[in-house]
Amino acid sequence: MSKTSELNMETLKKMSNAIRVLAAEGVQKANSGHPGMPMGIADVATILFSKYLNIDVNKPDWPDRDRFVLSAGHGSMLIYALNYLLGYSDMNIESLKNFRQLHSNTPGHPEYGDTLGVETTTGPLGQGLGTAVGMALAERMSNAKFGKNLVDHFTYVIVGDGCLQEGISHESIEFAGHLKLAKLIVLWDNNSISIDGNTNLSNSSNQIARFKASGWHTQSVDGHDFDQISKAIENAQKTNKPSFIACKTIIGFGSPNLAGTEKTHGAPLGDDEVKKVKEELNWKSNPFEVPKDILSNWRASVERGLKIRKEWEDRFNKSPKKINLLKIIQTIYPKSLIKI
Amino acid sequence: MSKTSELNMETLKKMSNAIRVLAAEGVQKANSGHPGMPMGIADVATILFSKYLNIDVNKPDWPDRDRFVLSAGHGSMLIYALNYLLGYSDMNIESLKNFRQLHSNTPGHPEYGDTLGVETTTGPLGQGLGTAVGMALAERMSNAKFGKNLVDHFTYVIVGDGCLQEGISHESIEFAGHLKLAKLIVLWDNNSISIDGNTNLSNSSNQIARFKASGWHTQSVDGHDFDQISKAIENAQKTNKPSFIACKTIIGFGSPNLAGTEKTHGAPLGDDEVKKVKEELNWKSNPFEVPKDILSNWRASVERGLKIRKEWEDRFNKSPKKINLLKIIQTIYPKSLIKI
Amino acid sequence: MKLEKPKLATRQASLEFLKVLSSNVDNIAGGSADLTGSNLTKTPDMNSVKPKKFKANYIHYGIREHMMGAVMNGIALHKGFITYGGTFLVFSDYMRSSIRLSALMKTKVIYVLTHDSIGLGEDGPTHQPVEHLAMLRATPNLNVFRPADAVETAEAWELALKYDGPSILALSRQGLKTFRDEKGNDNLTSKGGYLVKDFGNKRDLTIIATGSEVEIALETSDLLLKDNIKASVVSLPCWEIFEKQSEEYKLNVLGEKLKVGVEAGSELGWHKYIGSNGIFIGMKTFGASAPANHLFEHFGLSSDKIREKILGKINT
Amino acid sequence: MKLEKPKLATRQASLEFLKVLSSNVDNIAGGSADLTGSNLTKTPDMNSVKPKKFKANYIHYGIREHMMGAVMNGIALHKGFITYGGTFLVFSDYMRSSIRLSALMKTKVIYVLTHDSIGLGEDGPTHQPVEHLAMLRATPNLNVFRPADAVETAEAWELALKYDGPSILALSRQGLKTFRDEKGNDNLTSKGGYLVKDFGNKRDLTIIATGSEVEIALETSDLLLKDNIKASVVSLPCWEIFEKQSEEYKLNVLGEKLKVGVEAGSELGWHKYIGSNGIFIGMKTFGASAPANHLFEHFGLSSDKIREKILGKINT
Ligand SMILES: Cc1ncc(C[n+]2csc(CCOP(=O)(O)OP(=O)(O)O)c2C)c(N)n1
Ligand SMILES: Cc1ncc(C[n+]2csc(CCOP(=O)(O)OP(=O)(O)O)c2C)c(N)n1
Ligand SMILES: [Mg+2]
Ligand SMILES: [Mg+2]
């Protein structure tokens, strides 16, 4: 499925820092939002989106695309920054500058229907995970109907500490484990921080053991090590169980004074600290500007998805099941079912 | 705390069968209810109530009593049968005959305030476990205030498969494990049956591993083996962690044709089958009659609680903290707090 | 008068509808949170999803309501299936947040919520919804149906399938008379509310009811006729849709005389229809554990007691 | 007129109350579901429960609302503590079932639910309650307080502590004017609702509001006075308690003229007070992500827009 990326570490780091800076700047401009989560998970997201996630930004509703769910919805700037970098047609620099403003397509939390590529509304913690289980189940049920040729995609979810504390996570983990939803891959933003402070204020569970108990494939990686992340995703794609990857991260990574603390969770870093982030990350551009070479690297990465989508379309056009699939995707119901 | 009971196995079996028969008959008379759960868990409950649970039926609100919560509230006939056998003043044979009738003190699910000894309303699955965690936490917080002399009791909970599937169980297990609520003991009615059928229809979690992942002490026992149950409870009392005891049981134990099936979950067994239960259990009495010797065994078992309560009262009366404790138990608030 | 049809619980009518649906479409993803036999969500020809068997159309969610709602949202967002899931109406509490997200995203998800009142009977107050219809009706974008008989149930199902958003079907445990003549081709539920007994401009008052209480309202109207009082009866299965009708239509249905609301739930919201001067007969408290017929009597939800209240009002 | 006091969010007023409470009693078991700094539930002198440290009075529940409600029920049933817990009002969804059990058992549990409307601002519709006040008001035995300023907040706290049952405190994120003179010794919230601006028998209409909308209602009244219209203003912080007042008192408060309800939530339930002819101004849809002041304007909840609507109604 995936081949080792030609992008070298340094390039990846820059691509990832682009997310960090845009997130910090977007939140700063809005004077409201959650910079820490996108900055912390940026390395994981960079690997996932540039190397593995099969989407086509020009055809965001292509049926056999991989699904991506940001269950930790407060990290919405992650999606907006990514979507800008990937080149979604609705996501330009103006959008990022209008973060959290009325009628913008960059609302405080990802809202289904407001933004291309946002597969579901998230924000109420844990809901994204449950919803993703539904997507992964629908994928398997569709696959059983239409075969691997037409339906065969992954569902990736990023969850935070909050998602995993909520009860719905238990219900979802048990159920997905029971059904062996092998194409479901959950990445945990394991930053040991939530709003009240260190998560050890209220938690001391062993999450790996917990997921194992429900029949999941589990791995732990350094969430700032590109190689480890890549390998873990590749392993996860191969197992016959749903997969859990605990990614140890530092919330607000890149912020010299605030990284690793709850202060980066839900408030702007402050103008000064944003400056320092840029120094720390050796980021020379003006606000909301991404250096051309980095933008090109991101934009080039979407070719992979485009190609895969086109291959799928060829198979689809040749398939005798085409009509049926189309009909069902549009969820057409028989006209009169009223007689009982 | 506990001493090996003088009651021999055979007597215990009879005491336990009294619960089974009363549950089957109560549900049959009401033509509505859940016989399977009380019949399955009867052996566990018999050990817990006759040997360990420190309550005084004559003083059901004694502050330092152990708390008992039936989180699997549909098994309410377990409580009503037990409370009759133990001799609670409000629970007579008429009450059992009026199971699930208007204005009776034996409603379909245990309702706080309707029945002596019912510590909390249960029925919505999983709630009892969460509520019990609150009780166990309040116990520790009171203990920290008033010392071991005045506050030192256990909270016992019986949960079913349903409670453990609900998300609230996860939140409760994680939180109790984190706080090391060592005086919380959870007994799981592990009967592998819920309403839709075998629990393997929707679950394949390893519960022991799950509780371990959150820092609990765990044990597995045969829920029909008195010795194993006793030992497990004694072990549980001694650990410095909250305790989980998986009790493998057979739902509807004693019903020759229906035991082990979901048919016993939520419907009367039928007149014929109730008869067969009594044959199977070698139970000769008329409906709603408990043989005198068995009743005496049950009634004698409450002496233990009475004695412990009196000892507590002595300590309490001598304690300088008496007034304070009383005041706080009555939750008196300062009169005027309105000025801000 | 035509022959009386056998009583049918609306949850049973729903099953009958599902039998037709499932024999017509091959992309159902139904399910229940471990209440299959109570919600009547599984038809005999449906088969269950299992670990390695995904060519199936019924999901045993286990006792996981919150997740069931979220999973249904995920199935709807993924596209490809008609998705519905069952539990007791009272346990909509456990999936409030998922229902809200269905409403916010307008996912086409159908919640089959049975045992929709004290008509549930012996299980008692923890299992008897009181505030739930209000909670659901207050939620934007959510169509809340409480059909009164088998025909309305089929109509509600049809409307739910057509609506580009989530629907609630609040269904009875107990059998209800089929008062609608199913031969008519009009989907009357598509008006949200309509007259089921109409005295035209001779009406003295209007009794407005939903679900299982429509039968009681009709009985009350019959009783009142003996008192020489003409009580038109309105069934109001879906408030959200009723609100979308013209002022004229609504006024014509509700009338301008005394209005009496009857629903075995909270009064919250009812004054919009009954006005400041109206009477509401429902649940002021939580329910109780007893056989259903005792409970309807106990809580004043019988035609006798309603008649008395109406006479009391008229005579003051 | 007296000098204007600084604006204070009611969540902040609640913290001020807690400071007094916690310095007066030693049996508090407060807490929050990981929103301590937002709910303002922890006073500087409170200390946190930890694994081996139970001599403490503040509980970090983690992001576990459902359990928090149940645990508070358990603490209340065990006896010995004044227990309260905080989260955002919208996440009462996650603990609906626990709140319901508080109400059914009448446990003395206080739910401190802040960020009680679109006043929450940028976090957007998933975080902005709309239907929640209705859902909670429909629940029997539950006192739902939505205080309008610092004084009402203290009064609500006092009533919650006295009530033998559960209470909801719905509190604002945003600062609100203190319109009440806190020197009076009467707890006016103990009436459930009362006139905050009274034109006596000269009133032309009544604006009824709760919480943060009382300030807007007062502004609207001021504007209308320039149009020569005398709008009395009612604050209705607790419907359940207001319902218990005499008919005479209620009539005196609400008046018999045009009534206008203003609340940044669902209209469900309001017609009991505004009547069939009244106007309700609130949320017909879910909220949106934007700064709070933009949202109040956008959703028509500003004194300008309310004045317009009232004039429109009067002039037809
Ligand atoms: C159900 C729910 N409860 C509470 C919140 C408020 N909230 C938003 S983020 C958050 C903390 C989440 O912590 P974590 O997932 O670790 O995110 P991080 O701080 O690491 O970004 C809370 C409590 C919410 N969004 N949803
Ligand atoms: C929250 C909630 N959902 C659903 C129900 C309905 N219900 C009652 S018992 C039960 C099955 C419980 O299974 P289990 O705990 O294993 O009980 P057993 O059949 O072993 O007695 C269900 C779904 C409920 N009481 N509460
Ligand atoms: Mg975190
Ligand atoms: Mg079971």
Side-chain angles (χ1 to χ4, degrees):
Chain A
M1 171 131 301
S2 72
K3 47 180 178 173
T4 320
S5 167
E6 302 89 49
L7 300 165
N8 67 27
M9 292 296 154
E10 206 169 325
T11 310
L12 284 167
K13 204 79 211 168
K14 283 184 192 159
M15 289 168 73
S16 167
N17 286 340
I19 298 174
R20 293 193 169 96
V21 173
L22 288 175
E25 289 179 337
V27 170
Q28 195 60 41
K29 175 97 184 4
N31 198 23
S32 163
H34 302 78
M37 190 277 165
M39 294 173 79
I41 205 70
D43 295 329
V44 171
T46 297
I47 292 295
L48 177 62
F49 276 73
S50 70
K51 289 180 66 180
Y52 300 105
L53 192 77
N54 291 331
I55 52 171
D56 180 1
V57 297
N58 302 302
K59 196 103 182 56
D61 61 350
W62 158 44
D64 200 32
R65 70 192 179 281
D66 286 344
R67 302 302 196 270
F68 172 72
V69 174
L70 183 67
S71 189
H74 55 279
S76 57
M77 266 308 298
L78 175 72
I79 296 190
Y80 306 144
L82 276 166
N83 283 10
Y84 166 69
L85 295 167
L86 292 166
Y88 272 91
S89 62
D90 67 334
M91 192 60 63
N92 50 40
I93 276 296
E94 278 315 299
S95 307
L96 298 185
K97 288 184 183 164
N98 278 318
F99 182 47
R100 299 188 151 228
Q101 303 308 307
L102 202 56
H103 308 307
S104 78
N105 64 342
T106 47
H109 289 78
E111 303 285 343
Y112 179 68
D114 282 6
T115 317
L116 290 180
V118 167
E119 301 278 5
T120 181
T121 295
T122 51
L125 294 169
Q127 280 287 344
L129 179 56
T131 306
V133 170
M135 293 175 178
L137 174 55
E139 190 270 346
R140 280 297 87 188
M141 289 172 72
S142 302
N143 168 284
K145 252 206 185 89
F146 297 105
K148 199 174 158 62
N149 247 343
L150 294 189
V151 184
D152 188 25
H153 55 264
F154 287 99
T155 302
Y156 296 93
V157 196
I158 294 179
V159 299
D161 299 299
C163 298
L164 295 185
Q165 289 182 24
E166 289 290 356
I168 191 174
S169 69
H170 167 63
E171 302 179 14
S172 307
I173 292 165
E174 235 183 41
F175 184 71
H178 171 69
L179 287 183
K180 296 199 169 47
L181 296 178
K183 308 215 70 168
L184 176 66
I185 297 177
V186 173
L187 300 141
W188 171 31
D189 181 20
N190 176 14
N191 62 19
S192 307
I193 290 290
S194 68
I195 291 179
D196 275 7
N198 194 297
T199 50
N200 68 15
L201 267 175
S202 66
N203 206 8
S204 32
S205 273
N206 178 337
Q207 297 289 354
I208 293 287
R210 175 189 174 200
F211 277 78
K212 271 214 176 82
S214 287
W216 286 56
H217 175 262
T218 61
Q219 302 172 78
S220 290
V221 301
D222 175 344
H224 300 297
D225 179 321
F226 294 122
D227 262 348
Q228 286 190 29
I229 302 164
S230 297
K231 269 181 210 132
I233 294 177
E234 291 182 18
N235 291 337
Q237 291 179 335
K238 285 174 209 143
T239 63
N240 56 3
K241 301 172 177 180
S243 247
F244 176 68
I245 307 175
C247 308
K248 191 70 214 162
T249 61
I250 295 166
I251 192 170
F253 186 103
S255 165
N257 297 306
L258 303 176
T261 74
E262 67 273 19
K263 293 203 179 94
T264 68
H265 165 87
L269 302 177
D271 282 320
D272 268 10
E273 188 68 11
V274 172
K275 256 187 222 141
K276 287 189 186 130
V277 167
K278 292 170 81 169
E279 280 166 34
E280 174 90 5
L281 301 178
N282 197 17
W283 196 263
K284 306 259 150 70
S285 342
N286 290 328
F288 293 102
E289 268 181 35
V290 178
K292 280 225 180 86
D293 55 327
I294 300 180
L295 199 57
S296 322
N297 284 325
W298 269 112
R299 299 277 158 100
S301 79
V302 306
E303 295 301 322
R304 186 179 40 81
L306 177 74
K307 186 165 160 277
I308 290 170
R309 196 259 299 168
K310 286 202 168 140
E311 287 163 7
W312 178 86
E313 229 148 58
D314 286 346
R315 294 196 301 278
F316 175 66
N317 285 326
K318 283 180 212 141
S319 167
K321 292 180 179 164
K322 177 177 170 175
I323 302 299
N324 207 1
L325 177 64
L326 258 185
K327 197 180 80 184
I328 272 182
I329 280 166
Q330 291 154 8
T331 338
I332 291 161
Y333 306 106
K335 282 282 149 56
S336 183
L337 283 166
I338 192 173
K339 309 245 175 302
I340 62 163
Chain B
M1 169 130 305
S2 71
K3 47 183 179 169
T4 319
S5 168
E6 302 89 46
L7 301 164
N8 67 26
M9 293 296 155
E10 208 169 325
T11 309
L12 283 166
K13 202 81 212 166
K14 283 184 192 158
M15 290 168 72
S16 166
N17 285 340
I19 298 174
R20 294 193 167 95
V21 173
L22 288 175
E25 290 179 339
V27 170
Q28 195 60 42
K29 174 99 184 5
N31 196 24
S32 163
H34 303 78
M37 190 277 164
M39 294 173 78
I41 205 71
D43 294 330
V44 172
T46 297
I47 291 296
L48 177 62
F49 275 75
S50 71
K51 290 181 66 180
Y52 299 105
L53 191 76
N54 289 335
I55 51 171
D56 180 2
V57 297
N58 301 302
K59 197 100 181 60
D61 60 351
W62 156 45
D64 200 32
R65 70 192 179 279
D66 287 344
R67 302 300 196 272
F68 171 72
V69 174
L70 183 66
S71 189
H74 56 279
S76 58
M77 266 308 297
L78 175 73
I79 296 191
Y80 306 144
L82 276 166
N83 283 11
Y84 166 69
L85 295 167
L86 293 165
Y88 272 91
S89 63
D90 67 334
M91 192 60 63
N92 50 39
I93 278 295
E94 278 316 300
S95 307
L96 300 185
K97 288 182 181 165
N98 277 320
F99 182 48
R100 299 188 151 228
Q101 303 307 306
L102 203 56
H103 307 307
S104 79
N105 64 342
T106 47
H109 289 78
E111 302 286 344
Y112 179 68
D114 283 6
T115 317
L116 291 179
V118 168
E119 302 278 4
T120 181
T121 295
T122 51
L125 293 169
Q127 280 287 343
L129 179 56
T131 306
V133 169
M135 293 174 178
L137 173 55
E139 191 270 347
R140 280 296 87 188
M141 288 172 73
S142 302
N143 167 284
K145 252 207 184 85
F146 297 104
K148 198 175 158 62
N149 247 345
L150 294 188
V151 183
D152 188 25
H153 55 264
F154 286 100
T155 302
Y156 296 94
V157 196
I158 295 180
V159 299
D161 300 298
C163 298
L164 296 186
Q165 287 181 26
E166 288 291 356
I168 190 174
S169 68
H170 166 62
E171 302 179 12
S172 307
I173 292 165
E174 233 183 43
F175 184 70
H178 171 69
L179 287 182
K180 296 203 171 39
L181 296 178
K183 308 216 70 168
L184 176 65
I185 298 177
V186 173
L187 301 143
W188 172 31
D189 182 21
N190 175 14
N191 63 18
S192 308
I193 290 289
S194 68
I195 291 180
D196 275 8
N198 194 297
T199 49
N200 68 16
L201 267 174
S202 64
N203 207 7
S204 32
S205 274
N206 178 336
Q207 297 290 353
I208 293 286
R210 176 190 173 199
F211 277 79
K212 271 214 176 82
S214 287
W216 285 55
H217 175 262
T218 62
Q219 301 173 80
S220 290
V221 301
D222 176 346
H224 301 298
D225 179 321
F226 294 122
D227 264 348
Q228 286 191 29
I229 301 164
S230 298
K231 269 181 209 132
I233 293 177
E234 292 183 17
N235 292 338
Q237 290 178 336
K238 283 173 212 143
T239 63
N240 56 3
K241 300 172 177 180
S243 247
F244 176 67
I245 308 176
C247 308
K248 189 71 216 163
T249 62
I250 295 166
I251 192 170
F253 187 102
S255 166
N257 298 307
L258 302 176
T261 74
E262 67 273 20
K263 293 202 178 95
T264 68
H265 164 87
L269 302 177
D271 282 320
D272 269 11
E273 187 69 11
V274 172
K275 257 186 220 140
K276 285 186 189 133
V277 166
K278 291 169 84 170
E279 281 166 32
E280 174 92 5
L281 301 178
N282 198 16
W283 197 263
K284 306 259 150 68
S285 340
N286 290 328
F288 293 101
E289 269 182 36
V290 177
K292 281 229 181 81
D293 55 327
I294 300 179
L295 199 56
S296 321
N297 285 326
W298 269 112
R299 299 278 157 101
S301 79
V302 306
E303 295 301 323
R304 185 179 41 80
L306 179 73
K307 187 163 159 279
I308 290 171
R309 194 260 298 167
K310 286 201 167 141
E311 288 163 7
W312 178 85
E313 230 150 55
D314 286 347
R315 294 197 300 278
F316 175 66
N317 285 326
K318 282 179 212 142
S319 167
K321 293 181 179 165
K322 178 177 167 174
I323 302 299
N324 206 2
L325 178 64
L326 258 184
K327 197 181 79 181
I328 273 180
I329 280 166
Q330 291 154 9
T331 336
I332 290 163
Y333 306 107
K335 281 282 147 57
S336 185
L337 283 165
I338 193 174
K339 310 248 175 302
I340 63 165
Chain C
M1 284 217 93
K2 57 187 155 44
L3 262 179
E4 219 162 75
K5 280 154 256 175
K7 284 200 168 204
L8 203 65
T10 51
R11 62 178 171 144
Q12 183 71 51
S14 167
L15 179 65
E16 299 305 319
F17 181 90
L18 286 175
K19 286 180 190 166
V20 181
L21 184 71
S22 69
S23 65
N24 275 277
V25 298
D26 63 352
N27 64 331
I28 290 183
S32 164
D34 198 45
L35 284 167
T36 297
S38 299
N39 302 142
L40 299 177
T41 33
K42 191 175 184 219
T43 69
D45 67 341
M46 290 177 84
N47 49 72
S48 303
V49 168
K50 284 179 189 158
K52 269 168 196 163
K53 193 191 149 218
F54 293 103
K55 209 176 176 109
N57 52 9
Y58 193 83
I59 302 162
H60 292 276
Y61 285 104
I63 302 130
R64 307 184 181 106
E65 297 86 1
H66 197 172
M67 179 207 72
M68 177 171 74
V71 165
M72 290 198 291
N73 281 333
I75 293 174
L77 291 165
H78 181 276
K79 298 228 155 76
F81 297 91
I82 298 176
T83 184
Y84 67 83
T87 182
F88 290 158
L89 175 56
V90 83
F91 298 129
S92 58
D93 282 353
Y94 278 64
M95 49 182 183
R96 252 299 296 163
S97 168
S98 303
I99 295 174
R100 186 170 210 255
L101 279 174
S102 303
L104 183 54
M105 294 190 276
K106 293 192 122 206
T107 52
K108 196 200 276 280
V109 165
I110 300 170
Y111 293 90
V112 180
L113 304 180
T114 69
H115 296 59
D116 68 349
S117 75
I118 48 169
L120 166 148
E122 291 89 344
D123 276 347
T126 53
H127 283 54
Q128 293 159 355
V130 169
E131 65 275 39
H132 299 78
L133 291 168
M135 149 180 125
L136 297 166
R137 285 174 184 148
T139 309
N141 302 344
L142 187 63
N143 279 350
V144 182
F145 295 93
R146 190 163 185 251
D149 77 351
V151 179
E152 276 194 10
T153 305
E155 289 175 341
W157 258 110
E158 196 192 42
L159 292 166
L161 289 173
K162 280 182 185 159
Y163 176 52
D164 267 327
S167 299
I168 302 282
L169 302 181
L171 304 175
S172 76
R173 176 194 189 193
Q174 71 274 29
L176 302 176
K177 273 190 202 150
T178 304
F179 61 87
R180 278 277 300 287
D181 185 338
E182 76 276 35
K183 274 173 218 142
N185 265 327
D186 284 358
N187 182 328
L188 295 179
T189 301
S190 73
K191 295 282 185 189
Y194 61 97
L195 282 155
V196 295
K197 178 154 194 168
D198 185 7
F199 287 101
N201 50 22
K202 288 194 190 123
R203 80 167 117 183
D204 296 311
L205 58 91
T206 310
I207 308 180
I208 312 162
T210 77
S212 48
E213 285 71 71
V214 173
E215 176 175 326
I216 300 173
L218 285 167
E219 278 168 30
T220 310
S221 176
D222 286 349
L223 288 182
L224 286 170
L225 204 55
K226 293 178 194 153
D227 302 310
N228 238 327
I229 295 169
K230 298 191 183 59
S232 292
V233 175
V234 170
S235 176
L236 207 61
C238 183
W239 292 20
E240 295 76 17
I241 297 181
F242 187 66
E243 285 294 313
K244 298 207 172 94
Q245 307 307 309
S246 69
E247 286 308 315
E248 195 196 337
Y249 177 81
K250 287 192 272 185
L251 191 67
N252 182 50
V253 168
L254 300 176
E256 296 181 84
K257 303 290 182 63
L258 174 68
K259 288 183 276 284
V260 181
V262 184
E263 184 172 78
S266 160
E267 73 163 23
L268 206 90
W270 272 92
H271 283 84
K272 183 156 195 185
Y273 303 121
I274 62 174
S276 316
N277 191 41
I279 312 176
F280 177 72
I281 296 156
M283 297 293 294
K284 288 191 200 307
T285 64
F286 288 109
S289 169
N293 52 338
H294 297 192
L295 292 175
F296 277 96
E297 197 61 37
H298 176 69
F299 288 105
L301 282 154
S302 64
S303 49
D304 275 357
K305 297 236 170 119
I306 297 171
R307 170 181 164 272
E308 270 169 45
K309 279 215 179 145
I310 291 173
L311 292 180
K313 176 84 180 182
I314 288 175
N315 300 331
T316 50
Chain D
M1 286 216 91
K2 57 189 152 47
L3 263 178
E4 220 162 75
K5 280 156 256 175
K7 284 199 166 203
L8 203 65
T10 52
R11 62 178 171 141
Q12 183 71 48
S14 168
L15 178 65
E16 299 305 319
F17 182 90
L18 285 175
K19 286 180 190 166
V20 181
L21 184 72
S22 69
S23 65
N24 274 278
V25 299
D26 64 351
N27 64 330
I28 290 183
S32 165
D34 197 44
L35 284 167
T36 296
S38 299
N39 302 142
L40 298 178
T41 34
K42 191 174 184 220
T43 69
D45 67 341
M46 291 177 82
N47 50 71
S48 303
V49 168
K50 286 181 187 155
K52 269 168 195 164
K53 193 191 150 219
F54 292 103
K55 206 172 178 111
N57 52 10
Y58 193 82
I59 303 162
H60 292 277
Y61 285 104
I63 302 131
R64 305 183 181 106
E65 297 85 1
H66 197 172
M67 180 207 72
M68 177 171 73
V71 165
M72 290 198 290
N73 282 331
I75 293 175
L77 291 165
H78 180 276
K79 299 231 155 73
F81 297 92
I82 298 175
T83 184
Y84 67 83
T87 183
F88 289 158
L89 175 56
V90 82
F91 299 128
S92 58
D93 282 353
Y94 278 64
M95 50 182 183
R96 253 298 296 162
S97 170
S98 303
I99 296 174
R100 188 171 209 255
L101 279 174
S102 302
L104 183 54
M105 295 192 274
K106 292 192 125 202
T107 52
K108 195 198 276 280
V109 165
I110 299 170
Y111 293 90
V112 180
L113 304 180
T114 69
H115 297 60
D116 68 349
S117 75
I118 48 168
L120 166 147
E122 293 88 344
D123 276 346
T126 53
H127 283 53
Q128 293 160 354
V130 169
E131 66 275 39
H132 299 80
L133 292 167
M135 149 180 126
L136 297 165
R137 285 175 183 147
T139 308
N141 302 344
L142 187 63
N143 279 350
V144 182
F145 295 95
R146 189 163 185 251
D149 77 351
V151 179
E152 277 195 10
T153 305
E155 290 177 341
W157 258 109
E158 197 191 41
L159 293 166
L161 288 172
K162 281 183 184 159
Y163 176 52
D164 268 327
S167 299
I168 302 283
L169 302 182
L171 304 175
S172 75
R173 174 194 190 194
Q174 71 274 30
L176 302 177
K177 272 190 202 149
T178 304
F179 61 87
R180 277 276 301 285
D181 185 339
E182 76 274 35
K183 273 174 218 144
N185 265 328
D186 283 359
N187 182 328
L188 295 179
T189 301
S190 73
K191 294 281 184 188
Y194 61 98
L195 283 156
V196 295
K197 176 152 195 170
D198 186 6
F199 287 99
N201 51 22
K202 288 194 190 120
R203 82 166 117 182
D204 296 312
L205 58 91
T206 310
I207 308 179
I208 312 162
T210 77
S212 47
E213 285 72 71
V214 173
E215 177 175 323
I216 300 173
L218 285 166
E219 278 168 28
T220 310
S221 175
D222 287 348
L223 288 183
L224 287 169
L225 204 54
K226 293 179 195 151
D227 302 311
N228 238 327
I229 296 169
K230 298 192 183 57
S232 291
V233 176
V234 171
S235 176
L236 207 62
C238 183
W239 292 20
E240 295 75 18
I241 297 181
F242 186 67
E243 285 295 312
K244 297 206 171 95
Q245 308 306 311
S246 69
E247 286 308 314
E248 196 197 336
Y249 177 82
K250 286 192 272 185
L251 192 65
N252 181 50
V253 168
L254 300 176
E256 297 182 82
K257 302 291 182 62
L258 173 67
K259 286 183 277 287
V260 181
V262 184
E263 184 172 77
S266 161
E267 73 163 23
L268 207 89
W270 272 93
H271 283 83
K272 183 157 194 185
Y273 302 120
I274 62 173
S276 315
N277 191 41
I279 312 176
F280 176 74
I281 297 157
M283 297 293 294
K284 288 190 199 310
T285 63
F286 289 109
S289 169
N293 53 338
H294 297 192
L295 292 175
F296 276 97
E297 197 60 38
H298 176 69
F299 288 107
L301 282 154
S302 64
S303 48
D304 275 356
K305 298 236 171 119
I306 297 171
R307 170 179 164 274
E308 270 170 44
K309 278 213 181 146
I310 291 174
L311 292 180
K313 175 86 180 181
I314 288 175
N315 299 331
T316 51

